[in-house]
Amino acid sequence: MAGILNRIKQFARSPQGQRAIAEARRAAADPRKRAQAQRLLGRLRGRH
């Protein structure tokens, strides 16, 4: 398990990881994207 966490940390520090984090932050700030993510999570959790 520690190996997986280290790989995630390495990715987050990499340029690609930084781009992914910035893109996720932009999506989270958009109300339409936020609502879309909430609907998807609800479906995944079994709440329609």
Side-chain angles (χ1 to χ4, degrees):
M1 190 63 141
I4 293 170
L5 291 177
N6 283 336
R7 292 180 84 179
I8 292 170
K9 286 179 189 176
Q10 284 178 339
F11 176 73
R13 291 182 186 132
S14 73
Q16 290 132 334
Q18 290 296 313
R19 278 195 295 274
I21 291 168
E23 190 174 323
R25 284 189 178 136
R26 278 194 302 274
D30 182 2
R32 285 179 294 167
K33 291 284 186 185
R34 181 173 275 187
Q36 184 180 18
Q38 289 293 333
R39 285 192 304 270
L40 177 61
L41 285 174
R43 276 191 229 139
L44 291 174
R45 290 179 180 153
R47 298 181 196 150
H48 298 280

